[in-house]
Each structure stands twice: as C-alpha cells, then as structure tokens.
C-alpha cells in the first residue's frame, strides 16, 4: 500500500531531521577537528573546547548550528527517510511469510541501505563540504 509506504518514509525522515538538527553542532565540531592540519591547529584540541571556541568566534547559531544544516535536513528527508522508511515495505516484499528471519532482515537492510547510499551520496558530500567550509 503506497499510503503506508509514504507514511513510513515521512516518519523516518522527520524523526531523523529532528535528531540531526539537535546533533548538528557535534557534527560540525567533529568535521572541523578532523580537517585540522597536524602541527597547525586552528581549534583547541577536544570537542567541547572547539565548540566553545566556535561559539565565541562565530556565535552559537552561525558557528555551530547553521553550517550545513540545510544539506543535513535534505539528507535526513532523502537518504535516511528511504533507508529506514522503506525497510518494512521491502522486508514484506522479500519474504511475506517470514519477515522476522535473519536472512530476510539482512537482505532488506542491504537493499534499502544500498539504494539509499547509491542515490543520495552526493547530498552527504555537499553536507560535509558546507560544514567544513564554515
């Protein structure tokens, strides 16, 4: 049923969007720390000191929350929405009589994860670039 499929994808996308919005400052900080040149640190070492430095220099909103947020939300509503939301439908199509078997779960997860990764990987690259450039 397409309405169930659509609701599952929408619910997965919205749930991920809320979580990604809350965790975006950690993601931005992680990327900034990873991209530092060895011997020439721009940010203090450590997650919380880097977050504090970004908040002081650029503000909490522009330094931690906004970098890459649009691309992060697009990723949540596409990649994760499909990967998680399509799983029950694919699982039920793969093995209508035995949806709880391990092979069914593995195949269903591989199909939804593989398709989502292949189709939506460019969105993730844009997200990482926007967060790194901030």
């Amino acid at each position: 049923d397409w309405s169930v499929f659509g609701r599952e994808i929408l619910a997965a996308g919205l749930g991920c969007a809320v979580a990604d919005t809350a965790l975006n400052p950690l993601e931005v900080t992680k990327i900034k720390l990873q991209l530092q040149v060895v011997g020439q640190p721009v940010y203090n070492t450590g997650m919380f000191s880097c977050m504090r430095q970004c908040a002081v220099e650029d503000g909490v909103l522009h330094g931690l929350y906004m970098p890459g947020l649009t691309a992060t939300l697009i990723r949540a509503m596409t990649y994760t929405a499909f990967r998680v939301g399509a799983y029950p439908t694919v699982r039920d199509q793969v093995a209508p009589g035995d949806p709880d078997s391990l092979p069914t779960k593995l195949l269903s997860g591989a199909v939804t994860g593989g398709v989502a990764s292949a189709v939506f990987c460019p969105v993730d690259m844009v997200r990482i670039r926007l967060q790194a450039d901030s």
Side-chain angles (χ1 to χ4, degrees):
D1 184 13
W2 285 105
S3 66
V4 172
F5 180 72
R7 282 192 308 244
E8 288 171 344
I9 286 183
L10 183 62
L14 288 174
C16 184
V18 169
D20 282 355
T21 299
L23 297 175
N24 199 54
L26 295 174
E27 196 63 32
V28 170
T29 305
K30 176 193 78 170
I31 289 170
K32 287 183 180 215
L33 288 171
Q34 286 175 335
L35 293 178
Q36 292 189 108
V37 177
V38 175
Q40 300 173 339
V42 176
Y43 299 100
N44 297 323
T45 57
M47 191 77 149
F48 294 111
S49 60
C50 179
M51 290 176 82
R52 190 175 322 109
Q53 183 179 347
C54 290
V56 168
E57 291 176 3
D58 300 320
V60 173
L61 187 64
H62 292 289
L64 294 171
Y65 271 99
M66 293 308 294
L69 185 59
T70 302
T72 297
L73 294 176
I74 291 170
R75 177 180 167 257
M77 294 305 293
T78 55
Y79 169 73
T80 306
F82 184 82
R83 184 176 55 87
V84 175
Y87 174 83
T89 301
V90 171
R91 180 198 61 211
D92 293 345
Q93 294 299 314
V94 168
D98 190 18
D100 292 328
S101 72
L102 182 59
T104 299
K105 290 178 179 181
L106 289 173
L107 180 60
S108 302
V111 168
T112 57
V115 170
S117 294
V119 173
F120 301 114
C121 182
V123 175
D124 210 28
M125 294 304 299
V126 169
R127 176 187 66 87
I128 292 169
R129 287 299 214 127
L130 289 172
Q131 289 173 333
D133 292 343
S134 67

